[in-house]
């Protein structure tokens, strides 16, 4: 081995090491500040999300914007994270009357619900949502622990991202709506 080829080999190792370190740093940055994954536990979001599915959620979206009605969000609580749908926004008055969702006195169409769930929602409210808080529910209303029964109002700081994409199982790859 000549001195030139030894130097070239060392330089190649240095370049590979540098590329790997940069790739790891980019991945850590993306995972920490932009995207992360979460596993859906339970059946409270059926049929939109099923137990065991892994979703990618966008952490940056709510730094730049606010949650909107219909968004599927990740809620961070000390014991565990929850995946729920935003139903009511800060300052609104919400009421559930059987299969009717009434927001500020007007009926709202819940296109994301299956018919069998929609007719079993029950009655709730009317109740005014505090400022800087949201009212969330699971799509499977019969078994969902949500703002009606256990989670209460969700403060905007507890919403850590919006579900964007189902990535596992691979046969279920799709955007969450």
């Amino acid at each position: 081995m000549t001195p030139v080829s030894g130097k070239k080999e060392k330089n190649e190792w240095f370049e590979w090491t540098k590329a790997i370190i940069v790739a790891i740093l980019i991945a850590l940055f993306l995972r920490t500040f932009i995207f992360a994954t979460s596993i859906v536990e339970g059946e409270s979001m059926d049929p939109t999300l099923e137990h065991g599915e892994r979703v990618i959620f966008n952490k940056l979206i709510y730094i730049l914007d606010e949650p909107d009605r219909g968004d599927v969000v990740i809620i961070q609580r000390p014991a565990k994270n929850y995946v729920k749908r935003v139903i009511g926004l800060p300052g609104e008055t919400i009421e559930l009357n059987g299969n009717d969702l009434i927001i500020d006195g007007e009926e709202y169409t819940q296109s994301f619900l299956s018919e069998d769930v929609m007719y079993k929602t029950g009655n709730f409210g009317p109740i005014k949502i505090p400022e800087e808080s949201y009212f969330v529910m699971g799509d499977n209303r019969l078994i969902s622990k949500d703002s009606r029964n256990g989670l209460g109002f969700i403060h905007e700081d507890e919403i850590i991202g919006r579900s964007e994409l189902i990535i596992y199982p691979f046969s279920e790859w799709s955007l969450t709506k």
Side-chain angles (χ1 to χ4, degrees), residues 73-173:
V73 298
I74 310 299
I75 300 160
Q76 187 173 41
R77 289 284 174 94
K80 69 183 255 183
N81 290 351
Y82 294 89
V83 180
K84 301 293 174 193
R85 186 177 300 276
V86 174
I87 301 298
L89 305 175
E92 294 180 333
T93 298
I94 190 164
E95 179 178 359
L96 294 163
N97 187 5
N99 60 332
D100 297 328
L101 171 61
I102 302 162
I103 300 172
D104 289 336
E106 294 190 28
E107 190 172 334
Y108 177 78
T109 303
Q110 303 175 78
S111 59
F112 42 81
L113 293 181
S114 64
E115 279 193 33
D116 60 327
V117 170
M118 193 159 38
Y119 293 106
K120 298 176 184 174
T121 300
N123 296 332
F124 180 85
I127 190 165
K128 186 170 175 74
I129 303 167
E131 292 301 321
E132 300 181 358
S133 294
Y134 294 84
F135 188 91
V136 299
M137 293 195 311
D139 289 354
N140 189 351
R141 303 284 167 79
L142 289 174
I143 65 167
S144 177
K145 179 180 180 181
D146 51 39
S147 290
R148 299 170 297 164
N149 57 17
L151 291 183
F153 296 116
I154 306 301
H155 193 271
E156 62 186 7
D157 294 342
E158 294 175 300
I159 298 175
I160 60 170
R162 181 176 73 194
S163 176
E164 299 286 354
L165 178 69
I166 299 169
I167 59 169
Y168 184 84
F170 300 120
S171 62
E172 297 294 324
W173 273 38

